[in-house]
Amino acid sequence: MATTGQALRPARAAAPLLAPATLVVAVMLVAPLLLVLRFSLDRYDPTELMIETVTGANYLRFAADPFYRAVLRTTLGVAVACTVLCLLLGVPIGYRLARMRGRWKTACVLATVLPLVVGSTVRAVGWMILFARGGVIDATLRGLTGHGLELMYTTTAVVSGIVSINLPFVILTVQSAIETIDAELEEAAQSLGAAPGRAFWRVVWPLALPGITVAAILCFILAMNAYATPYLLGGPRFQMMAPLLFWEFGTNNNWPFASALALVLMTTTLVLTAAGNLLIPRRYRI
Amino acid sequence: MRDTIRLARRGLLASAAVLPFAATRPAAAEEGQVVIATWGGDYANLLRGNVDEPILAPEHLTVVQDVGDEDPRMAKMFAQRRLPRGSDDVVCLQAVRAHEANQAGLLEPLDATKVPNLAHVLPNLRTSFYGPHIYSPQVIIYNPDKVPDPPKTFTDLLDAKWKGRVGVGDINYFYVMMAAALSATGDANKVDAPETQALASKLNGNGLRLYPSTDSIGAGVKSGEIDVGLMWLARVIMWQNAGIPVKANFLPEGNVLYLSGMVVPKNAGNKPGAFEYLNAMLEPAAQQAFAAKMGYLPTVDNAKLTGKVGQQLAFPDPAPKLVVPDYDITGKLQGPTSEWWKKNIQHG
């Protein structure tokens, strides 16, 4: 008991050190969110912008209109597809990176991190050059087969763009999770007769699951909220929540409805993230 | 007491709402400084090279450009409407957005006593709150290398031979709808008429390509993605100068004018400076420079165009029908039309 008390004392002493960060988060994150919540209950008026009231009309409008529900479905579909693709590509790469040694490891980690140095918009422009009519892919295929391939303004373009942005985050998160798992555990499993694949699946995978879950959550959240990539690579006809939200906010000046869309997007993301976490066995949950 | 609390709460909310835009000028902004919220790129460079430096710098008026898109500029004006002092003195807006802002009571009235050059503004472009800067008629554009027999009217674009070959700018949706309204009803203001919407939907059904920006339409013509489209005449001239194969046809049913200009918010910090700015941009030399570099027509009667520019911008004979929409009507239809476009054309 005395030991517990002694352990708590330094923790209590350190608590004031958290105060500035807590204050910053409260002011810069919670307060704006509360403001967005308040705006979402207002009524839009073309000349007054917002009329202060308390109404759920903006949320009802979203729920009742098949167009907005379809946009949310598209957003979810893209986010899930990107998350699955990033995990399929990122877990093997992360595992390999974690088990690498020496100069090659440094070079490969650098190569993974390098795309993060370039902003997502600039990367999207790079994809545009690849995907556009007369772009690298179209021109190459046209030269080889006589038939081009236009990928701009398609779901493929958007998913490719988002995967390219999110993949480094997944790889690095998975790598750091696997690095904490002692390689000797795998060797022990193999010395007891487990094939490498079985050793990975029965030993590494369960232990890495919390880290892989974090990677998936990170990827899913980033994909749900993607703005520049769907806007640039999807074009005007490809509707996702973030560009739609900005259209309502900027073009229509409908702040109450844009606020409601923002909260619907945020709530959906949070609920699905929590639900996804529930699918993981309890002992491996984060 | 209850009212006081309500007002205080509203004030707090309004203040919090403008926090993102709080990088405002110091309360006592220098009298010799004017802040203009404008588009970037060529437009901003031409303002700097033909208005800010040659006309206003000698008058000891320093110009600060607040570069960005039009939508955030509008949002900023709305957000700052209750502040005693906004962050911008001059705001560049298309005419339809300026009327929208005026209907919301955000704009300072303007006349020739404040801005003397307003007396030279063409009569059909005059209003009591807007400094029209440049204008250009919307025309049918086509690639002369691939289209020997170009479409002449809006309804010609519905021909199956143009399936997937017609492109418009998504951000120019309101002008496309006005062109459809002119064709369907004879009145550019009837963008919400069922006939207009049916015509626009038919165009969409013919494989209409939507481009996210005006420049990307030029790229679409250059790459061969589209052969035909709707665009301002000014852009055609810019693209021709850039070597893109494109020509224009005036629409016999009428050509809606794209009109861009400047307004002064009611809470501008330096209104005398703002009026001086508007006066400078209406000077003949500045107007002629915009015509030469961007292909837009002068909005004043004392800026004559000569030489190559004069030839490029000369209207054919007989003169095309130029249509100035009733912006008081279209300003109210902006929101509903945007909603309709989003659901039926973008998502159609």
Side-chain angles (χ1 to χ4, degrees), chain B:
Chain B
M1 185 65 187
R2 189 179 165 77
D3 284 349
T4 313
I5 291 168
R6 280 180 58 81
L7 280 173
R9 188 155 56 99
R10 192 175 297 167
L12 178 70
L13 283 174
S15 308
V18 298
L19 265 180
F21 310 116
T24 51
R25 57 215 279 156
E30 313 91 89
E31 287 305 307
Q33 178 181 291
V34 65
V35 181
I36 174 169
T38 173
W39 291 276
D42 287 341
Y43 189 81
N45 291 336
L46 287 173
L47 282 180
R48 198 176 295 117
N50 297 286
V51 179
D52 307 1
E53 287 163 4
I55 302 177
L56 296 172
E59 301 293 321
H60 305 291
L61 192 64
T62 309
V63 179
V64 176
Q65 290 188 342
D66 174 9
V67 172
D69 286 336
E70 187 178 47
D71 289 337
R73 276 202 293 283
M74 280 288 284
K76 189 194 268 189
M77 275 209 299
F78 272 104
Q80 294 181 338
R81 67 192 302 184
R82 289 193 178 87
L83 296 181
R85 197 182 180 94
S87 58
D88 298 320
D89 300 314
V90 178
V91 179
C92 297
L93 294 175
Q94 292 178 60
V96 67
R97 303 308 300 268
H99 280 71
E100 202 184 333
N102 187 55
Q103 281 165 359
L106 305 182
L107 304 183
E108 178 76 14
L110 299 174
D111 58 45
T113 60
K114 295 172 181 170
V115 183
N117 277 334
L118 280 176
H120 291 288
V121 167
L122 301 174
N124 59 341
L125 305 181
R126 280 182 198 166
T127 62
S128 60
F129 54 86
Y130 193 47
H133 183 207
I134 50 177
Y135 79 98
S136 191
Q138 183 171 247
V139 290
I140 284 188
I141 62 165
Y142 63 95
N143 181 342
D145 297 343
K146 296 172 78 176
V147 181
D149 183 22
K152 293 179 174 60
T153 66
F154 191 97
T155 48
D156 284 352
L157 301 174
L158 306 181
D159 194 315
K161 69 180 173 183
W162 305 121
K163 192 167 181 66
R165 314 300 301 164
V166 182
V168 298
D170 187 57
I171 54 167
N172 306 332
Y173 70 92
F174 205 81
Y175 292 89
V176 178
M177 290 302 288
M178 286 196 280
L182 257 180
S183 176
T185 71
D187 183 350
N189 304 311
K190 291 186 176 170
V191 289
D192 60 340
E195 304 93 304
T196 303
Q197 294 178 343
L199 186 58
S201 295
K202 276 185 195 166
L203 180 66
N204 198 35
N206 201 28
L208 179 70
R209 286 183 183 258
L210 296 182
Y211 288 92
S213 68
T214 304
D215 287 318
S216 54
I217 301 173
V221 174
K222 192 177 180 181
S223 70
E225 201 166 72
I226 54 166
D227 298 328
V228 180
L230 285 170
M231 187 34 64
W232 341 124
L233 181 64
R235 284 288 176 163
V236 176
I237 290 161
M238 279 178 81
W239 291 337
Q240 282 173 347
N241 292 342
I244 296 174
V246 60
K247 278 191 169 180
N249 265 350
F250 285 90
L251 292 147
E253 60 259 38
N255 300 270
V256 177
L257 292 191
Y258 169 83
L259 177 60
S260 174
M262 300 178 188
V263 297
V264 179
K266 267 185 181 161
N267 59 357
N270 182 4
K271 283 182 192 170
F275 300 147
E276 203 174 335
Y277 196 97
L278 262 64
N279 203 53
M281 68 87 175
L282 291 169
E283 284 292 328
Q287 290 273 319
Q288 284 159 343
F290 269 85
K293 297 281 170 45
M294 291 190 87
Y296 285 99
L297 291 155
T299 54
V300 290
D301 58 15
N302 57 345
K304 300 294 173 211
L305 301 180
T306 53
K308 187 188 170 192
V309 189
Q311 284 173 0
Q312 278 185 316
L313 292 177
F315 286 140
D317 190 24
K321 186 179 164 190
L322 304 182
V323 179
V324 182
D326 184 336
Y327 293 113
D328 283 334
I329 297 173
T330 54
K332 287 177 187 147
L333 294 173
Q334 182 87 23
T337 308
S338 150
E339 184 81 3
W340 185 87
W341 179 270
K342 185 175 61 185
K343 289 182 179 174
N344 297 279
I345 301 296
Q346 287 183 346
H347 206 64

Side-chain angles (χ1 to χ4, degrees), chain A residues 199-285:
Chain A
F200 174 84
W201 190 245
R202 298 298 295 271
V203 177
V204 179
W205 176 261
L207 291 171
L209 207 49
I212 292 169
T213 308
V214 171
I217 287 171
L218 193 63
C219 182
F220 180 73
I221 292 171
L222 287 172
M224 282 290 284
N225 293 285
Y227 174 78
T229 309
Y231 181 76
L232 292 171
L233 299 180
R237 292 188 191 276
F238 193 86
Q239 305 277 2
M240 278 178 69
M241 285 294 279
L244 177 71
L245 193 163
F246 186 73
W247 173 284
E248 284 297 338
F249 175 80
T251 306
N252 286 354
N253 278 324
N254 191 341
W255 290 21
F257 188 53
S259 301
L261 287 177
L263 286 173
V264 166
L265 175 61
M266 203 177 71
T267 310
T268 310
T269 310
L270 284 174
V271 167
L272 289 176
T273 301
N277 198 30
L278 287 178
L279 295 176
I280 311 291
R282 183 181 289 271
R283 61 196 162 128
Y284 299 127
R285 274 183 211 158

